[in-house]
mmCIF file of all heavy atoms in Angstrom:
data_model
loop_
_atom_site.group_PDB
_atom_site.id
_atom_site.type_symbol
_atom_site.label_atom_id
_atom_site.label_comp_id
_atom_site.label_asym_id
_atom_site.label_seq_id
_atom_site.Cartn_x
_atom_site.Cartn_y
_atom_site.Cartn_z
ATOM 1 N N GLY A 388 -4.450 -0.360 29.987
ATOM 2 C CA GLY A 388 -3.137 -0.127 30.400
ATOM 3 C C GLY A 388 -2.038 -0.890 29.676
ATOM 4 O O GLY A 388 -0.878 -0.783 29.911
ATOM 5 N N GLY A 389 -2.522 -1.696 28.690
ATOM 6 C CA GLY A 389 -1.608 -2.450 27.843
ATOM 7 C C GLY A 389 -0.972 -1.576 26.799
ATOM 8 O O GLY A 389 -1.309 -0.437 26.674
ATOM 9 N N ARG A 390 -0.017 -2.175 26.092
ATOM 10 C CA ARG A 390 0.671 -1.505 25.080
ATOM 11 C C ARG A 390 0.644 -2.148 23.723
ATOM 12 O O ARG A 390 0.897 -3.327 23.665
ATOM 13 C CB ARG A 390 2.196 -1.293 25.500
ATOM 14 C CG ARG A 390 3.094 -0.546 24.621
ATOM 15 C CD ARG A 390 4.454 -0.584 25.076
ATOM 16 N NE ARG A 390 5.454 0.085 24.175
ATOM 17 C CZ ARG A 390 6.728 0.087 24.351
ATOM 18 N NH1 ARG A 390 7.319 -0.593 25.367
ATOM 19 N NH2 ARG A 390 7.541 0.667 23.465
ATOM 20 N N LEU A 391 0.349 -1.393 22.721
ATOM 21 C CA LEU A 391 0.356 -1.902 21.423
ATOM 22 C C LEU A 391 1.591 -1.322 20.668
ATOM 23 O O LEU A 391 1.752 -0.089 20.601
ATOM 24 C CB LEU A 391 -0.926 -1.527 20.557
ATOM 25 C CG LEU A 391 -2.190 -2.157 21.078
ATOM 26 C CD1 LEU A 391 -3.370 -1.743 20.157
ATOM 27 C CD2 LEU A 391 -2.086 -3.771 21.076
ATOM 28 N N HIS A 392 2.479 -2.197 20.145
ATOM 29 C CA HIS A 392 3.663 -1.737 19.514
ATOM 30 C C HIS A 392 3.463 -1.343 18.093
ATOM 31 O O HIS A 392 2.476 -1.799 17.443
ATOM 32 C CB HIS A 392 4.748 -2.855 19.623
ATOM 33 C CG HIS A 392 5.065 -3.216 21.064
ATOM 34 N ND1 HIS A 392 5.975 -2.639 21.805
ATOM 35 C CD2 HIS A 392 4.390 -4.213 21.776
ATOM 36 C CE1 HIS A 392 6.036 -3.184 22.993
ATOM 37 N NE2 HIS A 392 5.089 -4.155 23.025
ATOM 38 N N ARG A 393 4.368 -0.530 17.590
ATOM 39 C CA ARG A 393 4.183 -0.078 16.145
ATOM 40 C C ARG A 393 4.373 -1.208 15.204
ATOM 41 O O ARG A 393 5.095 -2.162 15.345
ATOM 42 C CB ARG A 393 5.234 1.025 15.803
ATOM 43 C CG ARG A 393 5.023 1.694 14.482
ATOM 44 C CD ARG A 393 6.059 2.783 14.257
ATOM 45 N NE ARG A 393 5.788 3.457 12.975
ATOM 46 C CZ ARG A 393 6.348 3.057 11.818
ATOM 47 N NH1 ARG A 393 7.146 1.959 11.825
ATOM 48 N NH2 ARG A 393 6.094 3.630 10.732
ATOM 49 N N TRP A 394 3.504 -1.173 14.091
ATOM 50 C CA TRP A 394 3.653 -2.135 13.105
ATOM 51 C C TRP A 394 5.086 -2.429 12.621
ATOM 52 O O TRP A 394 5.955 -1.539 12.677
ATOM 53 C CB TRP A 394 2.934 -1.594 11.815
ATOM 54 C CG TRP A 394 1.485 -1.796 11.767
ATOM 55 C CD1 TRP A 394 0.777 -2.676 12.609
ATOM 56 C CD2 TRP A 394 0.476 -1.292 10.873
ATOM 57 N NE1 TRP A 394 -0.618 -2.614 12.208
ATOM 58 C CE2 TRP A 394 -0.745 -1.761 11.160
ATOM 59 C CE3 TRP A 394 0.625 -0.340 9.853
ATOM 60 C CZ2 TRP A 394 -1.866 -1.455 10.516
ATOM 61 C CZ3 TRP A 394 -0.495 0.036 9.143
ATOM 62 C CH2 TRP A 394 -1.776 -0.522 9.492
ATOM 63 N N VAL A 395 5.383 -3.620 12.261
ATOM 64 C CA VAL A 395 6.688 -3.980 11.555
ATOM 65 C C VAL A 395 6.505 -3.624 10.108
ATOM 66 O O VAL A 395 5.559 -4.008 9.405
ATOM 67 C CB VAL A 395 6.983 -5.448 11.737
ATOM 68 C CG1 VAL A 395 8.377 -5.751 11.198
ATOM 69 C CG2 VAL A 395 6.953 -5.885 13.236
ATOM 70 N N THR A 396 7.422 -2.837 9.560
ATOM 71 C CA THR A 396 7.365 -2.299 8.281
ATOM 72 C C THR A 396 8.089 -3.123 7.279
ATOM 73 O O THR A 396 8.890 -4.010 7.570
ATOM 74 C CB THR A 396 7.816 -0.852 8.180
ATOM 75 O OG1 THR A 396 9.295 -0.887 8.421
ATOM 76 C CG2 THR A 396 7.212 0.027 9.227
ATOM 77 N N VAL A 397 7.849 -2.822 5.922
ATOM 78 C CA VAL A 397 8.567 -3.484 4.852
ATOM 79 C C VAL A 397 10.145 -3.165 5.034
ATOM 80 O O VAL A 397 10.915 -4.160 4.791
ATOM 81 C CB VAL A 397 8.160 -3.004 3.529
ATOM 82 C CG1 VAL A 397 8.982 -3.554 2.296
ATOM 83 C CG2 VAL A 397 6.651 -3.285 3.290
ATOM 84 N N ARG A 398 10.471 -1.992 5.404
ATOM 85 C CA ARG A 398 11.882 -1.638 5.538
ATOM 86 C C ARG A 398 12.507 -2.556 6.677
ATOM 87 O O ARG A 398 13.611 -3.005 6.570
ATOM 88 C CB ARG A 398 12.027 -0.143 5.902
ATOM 89 C CG ARG A 398 13.495 0.314 5.923
ATOM 90 C CD ARG A 398 13.593 1.714 6.447
ATOM 91 N NE ARG A 398 12.777 2.617 5.667
ATOM 92 C CZ ARG A 398 13.064 3.180 4.493
ATOM 93 N NH1 ARG A 398 14.243 2.824 3.992
ATOM 94 N NH2 ARG A 398 12.278 3.997 3.910
ATOM 95 N N ASP A 399 11.779 -2.750 7.796
ATOM 96 C CA ASP A 399 12.253 -3.588 8.841
ATOM 97 C C ASP A 399 12.544 -4.987 8.397
ATOM 98 O O ASP A 399 13.440 -5.680 8.738
ATOM 99 C CB ASP A 399 11.257 -3.670 10.027
ATOM 100 C CG ASP A 399 10.996 -2.324 10.673
ATOM 101 O OD1 ASP A 399 11.914 -1.457 10.753
ATOM 102 O OD2 ASP A 399 9.878 -2.053 11.123
ATOM 103 N N ALA A 400 11.653 -5.455 7.510
ATOM 104 C CA ALA A 400 11.681 -6.863 7.096
ATOM 105 C C ALA A 400 12.689 -7.103 6.008
ATOM 106 O O ALA A 400 13.436 -8.115 6.058
ATOM 107 C CB ALA A 400 10.343 -7.320 6.581
ATOM 108 N N ILE A 401 12.789 -6.234 5.011
ATOM 109 C CA ILE A 401 13.627 -6.570 3.849
ATOM 110 C C ILE A 401 14.668 -5.453 3.474
ATOM 111 O O ILE A 401 15.178 -5.462 2.350
ATOM 112 C CB ILE A 401 12.741 -6.868 2.543
ATOM 113 C CG1 ILE A 401 11.955 -5.625 2.134
ATOM 114 C CG2 ILE A 401 11.909 -8.054 2.872
ATOM 115 C CD1 ILE A 401 11.215 -5.862 0.753
ATOM 116 N N GLY A 402 14.802 -4.450 4.383
ATOM 117 C CA GLY A 402 15.695 -3.425 4.092
ATOM 118 C C GLY A 402 17.141 -3.868 3.681
ATOM 119 O O GLY A 402 17.750 -3.238 2.791
ATOM 120 N N ASP A 403 17.647 -4.917 4.361
ATOM 121 C CA ASP A 403 18.939 -5.418 3.941
ATOM 122 C C ASP A 403 18.957 -6.060 2.634
ATOM 123 O O ASP A 403 20.000 -6.067 1.851
ATOM 124 C CB ASP A 403 19.423 -6.409 5.064
ATOM 125 C CG ASP A 403 18.427 -7.522 5.142
ATOM 126 O OD1 ASP A 403 17.266 -7.380 5.039
ATOM 127 O OD2 ASP A 403 18.975 -8.728 5.473
ATOM 128 N N LEU A 404 17.804 -6.686 2.178
ATOM 129 C CA LEU A 404 17.837 -7.415 0.932
ATOM 130 C C LEU A 404 17.719 -6.399 -0.221
ATOM 131 O O LEU A 404 18.097 -6.712 -1.369
ATOM 132 C CB LEU A 404 16.588 -8.338 0.862
ATOM 133 C CG LEU A 404 16.669 -9.451 1.893
ATOM 134 C CD1 LEU A 404 15.406 -10.384 1.824
ATOM 135 C CD2 LEU A 404 17.899 -10.316 1.726
#
Side-chain angles (χ1 to χ4, degrees):
R390 179 183 178 190
L391 293 182
H392 301 270
R393 187 178 181 273
W394 275 347
V395 183
T396 67
V397 174
R398 190 188 303 279
D399 296 328
I401 65 171
D403 59 323
L404 298 177

